Amino acid sequence: MNRELFHRILLCAEMVLLALPVSMFCLVFGLGLLMTVGFSWGLEELAIMLFVFVGFLGIVGLWCAAITYLAQRARFLWWWRAACMGAGLVNVSLVLFCLVAFGWELPEWGIIIALGVFASPLLVPFLHLAYLQRTSRELLSTQAQQ
């Protein structure tokens, strides 16, 4: 089995076993969170809604980037950037979750954003795609030098 086939199988397994359940979990609870935000929108409510929408965009971007890689289609830079935004939000959530775990008192919206830590399994296929993108770029640059 060659290296590329191995990475394709591994990426499929990551997307089915990790990304699919986490995406469904985030979709259900993100929509539930959006439904609980009342109409007297202040800065906190807007921050929560923006966090949820950018998180959804990041999840969709990860799925589109993975599908374009698996289908060997032209990569759309826009979807990759959306996946990077989603990964950035997960990292922000991880930092806020660590602050809560160490005893910092955060406002309610900070705790809600810290609950984005449940999307952290999505970092595994994201980092795998980033690795594959980097190695393909290095392979192209070495071929161009020869």
Side-chain angles (χ1 to χ4, degrees):
M1 180 166 33
N2 64 5
R3 182 177 178 268
E4 186 168 344
L5 180 62
F6 173 74
H7 280 292
R8 287 185 183 285
I9 292 171
L10 185 60
L11 185 62
C12 283
E14 290 169 354
M15 293 304 288
V16 170
L17 297 175
L18 287 174
L20 185 62
V22 171
S23 297
M24 291 298 118
F25 177 83
C26 290
L27 178 69
V28 168
F29 286 102
L31 289 175
L33 182 63
L34 286 178
M35 288 184 205
T36 61
V37 175
F39 281 106
S40 59
W41 293 345
L43 187 59
E44 293 176 1
E45 289 84 8
L46 288 175
I48 291 170
M49 289 183 347
L50 181 66
F51 176 78
V52 171
F53 284 131
V54 172
F56 285 164
L57 184 66
I59 291 172
V60 170
L62 176 67
W63 276 98
C64 289
I67 289 170
T68 56
Y69 175 79
L70 291 173
Q72 296 180 342
R73 300 284 173 130
R75 290 184 180 89
F76 292 112
L77 191 59
W78 198 88
W79 289 118
W80 180 248
R81 288 181 181 165
C84 289
M85 284 191 310
L89 282 182
V90 170
N91 289 326
V92 168
S93 295
L94 285 169
V95 168
L96 290 176
F97 184 78
C98 289
L99 290 177
V100 169
F102 287 129
W104 281 46
E105 292 292 326
L106 293 176
E108 182 182 358
W109 65 271
I111 294 171
I112 290 172
I113 291 176
L115 291 177
V117 76
F118 292 117
S120 61
L122 293 174
L123 289 175
V124 174
F126 172 77
L127 292 173
H128 190 193
L129 280 171
Y131 168 76
L132 291 174
Q133 187 178 26
R134 182 178 175 143
T135 56
S136 69
R137 247 185 296 157
E138 289 175 355
L139 182 65
L140 289 175
S141 67
T142 57
Q143 287 176 354
Q145 289 176 355
Q146 293 175 355

